[in-house]
Amino acid sequence: VNDMWKILICSEDRDFMQDLGHRIRRLAGERLKEVRLFSNKEDLDFYTTGRPEESNIILIDISRDNEGIQLAQKILAVQPHSQIIFMASTDKYYLDVYSVDHVYFLKKPIEAVFLMKALNKAGSRLQDMKKSYLVISNKQGIYKIPLYTILCFESEKRKIHVYTQERELSYYGKFEDLMEKLDPRFARCHNSYIVNLTKVRELSDKKFVCENGKNVPISKTYYVDVREKFLSYLDGGEFCGGTPLGAHS
């Protein structure tokens, strides 16, 4: 099955890493393809650089320094679908990790319930990335855009602007038709805006702030509903399709 997980763990603390590997094997059960351990960052960097076609779940321990954050950035440049989970024994780097697209921040010692949530969320995002693209066409050409790269959509008169991390594309269309092509991670938050909740860094002052700093307004009509959706995503990320780990037992 394509949905089997390959999990890479990187930590200088070998005992912690061995133990985490055992725990993950128990938790993931049949969904696990393999677990690989890396006790230094260079090895993980070398491993991922040589395998651009892979998408893995990667747990990086940043307890001793935040070089792991830069490493995660390098990995995502090569394996854009890989899912990063950061681990640390202090909250020191809690804000730094937001400069990188990651699915979870685990505080050591790691509790099973959070480990499970992190793996579920990473697993369901991996699944989504494999199957979801939006195809749009305009005068310039036809574009196949992976949904996970989209920050938000803005409608202006008869045009829809698509904002991704790298660029902005526009085409003629209606929000109603667009919503039918999107999955539950996209939420209408304004008559003129649809936001990708997995790309939101914060919700404040009636607006979302995306990972790249872009502001997306939230109107009164949608506020309660979209706030609820965002909170439930933060709590467990279960709306992305994919079965939660515990669901089989």
Side-chain angles (χ1 to χ4, degrees), residues 229-247:
K229 275 187 182 155
F230 184 52
L231 283 172
S232 99
Y233 162 67
L234 289 179
D235 186 45
E238 291 310 337
F239 62 47
C240 289
T243 332
L245 258 179

Side-chain angles (χ1 to χ4, degrees), residues 14 31 71 87 177 186 237:
R14 284 170 184 266
R31 314 229 359 224
L71 171 61
M87 308 176 285
D177 302 336
F186 289 91

Side-chain angles (χ1 to χ4, degrees), residues 100-114:
V100 182
D101 187 16
H102 65 289
V103 276
Y104 224 92
F105 180 92
L106 290 168
K107 184 96 179 280
K108 293 161 71 175
I110 294 168
E111 289 178 42
V113 58
F114 295 119

Side-chain angles (χ1 to χ4, degrees), residues 48-235:
T48 48
T49 304
R51 294 166 178 78
E53 73 298 335
E54 282 190 9
S55 17
N56 304 306
I57 296 174
I58 305 175
L59 292 93
I60 300 177
D61 189 348
I62 51 172
S63 295
R64 301 192 187 178
D65 58 45
N66 63 1
E67 273 174 27
I69 296 173
Q70 281 120 39
L71 171 61
Q73 223 149 8
K74 276 181 78 175
I75 291 171
L76 289 175
V78 183
Q79 298 187 348
H81 286 186
S82 280
Q83 300 301 314
I84 306 286
I85 296 169
F86 287 117
M87 308 176 285
S89 39
T90 80
D91 283 336
K92 194 163 69 169
Y93 303 116
Y94 191 67
L95 289 172
D96 300 345
V97 299
Y98 282 95
S99 59
V100 182
D101 187 16
H102 65 289
V103 276
Y104 224 92
F105 180 92
L106 290 168
K107 184 96 179 280
K108 293 161 71 175
I110 294 168
E111 289 178 42
V113 58
F114 295 119
L115 178 56
M116 207 141 147
K117 268 188 175 175
L119 292 175
N120 271 332
K121 196 163 163 183
S124 58
R125 271 182 65 166
L126 264 183
Q127 223 176 13
D128 274 4
M129 289 185 173
K130 288 180 185 141
K131 65 177 185 222
S132 41
Y133 291 90
L134 177 70
V135 177
I136 66 165
S137 59
N138 58 24
K139 281 193 186 113
Q140 286 74 43
I142 296 171
Y143 303 89
K144 181 180 171 190
I145 311 166
L147 289 184
Y148 79 94
T149 62
I150 297 171
L151 302 169
C152 65
F153 297 93
E154 180 187 0
S155 92
E156 187 188 18
K157 300 199 173 93
R158 288 168 32 238
K159 266 194 166 167
I160 293 177
H161 306 296
V162 186
Y163 296 94
T164 73
Q165 274 130 326
E166 285 79 37
R167 57 186 178 173
E168 179 193 332
L169 291 165
S170 303
Y171 71 103
Y172 287 102
K174 292 196 182 96
F175 262 12
E176 286 64 33
D177 302 336
L178 173 62
M179 280 304 280
E180 287 174 17
K181 298 176 188 163
L182 300 175
D183 59 34
R185 78 188 111 171
F186 289 91
R188 183 93 178 246
C189 57
H190 189 281
N191 279 341
S192 308
Y193 286 92
I194 294 168
V195 70
N196 179 349
L197 294 175
T198 66
K199 293 292 174 196
V200 170
R201 194 171 66 201
E202 64 181 74
L203 159 58
S204 57
D205 301 332
K206 299 282 194 292
K207 67 175 188 293
F208 284 121
V209 181
C210 295
E211 278 168 5
N212 67 346
K214 183 173 174 57
N215 290 337
V216 179
I218 305 169
S219 64
K220 222 172 174 169
T221 321
Y222 295 99
Y223 186 77
V224 176
D225 187 44
V226 82
R227 181 177 177 273
E228 200 58 40
K229 275 187 182 155
F230 184 52
L231 283 172
S232 99
Y233 162 67
L234 289 179
D235 186 45

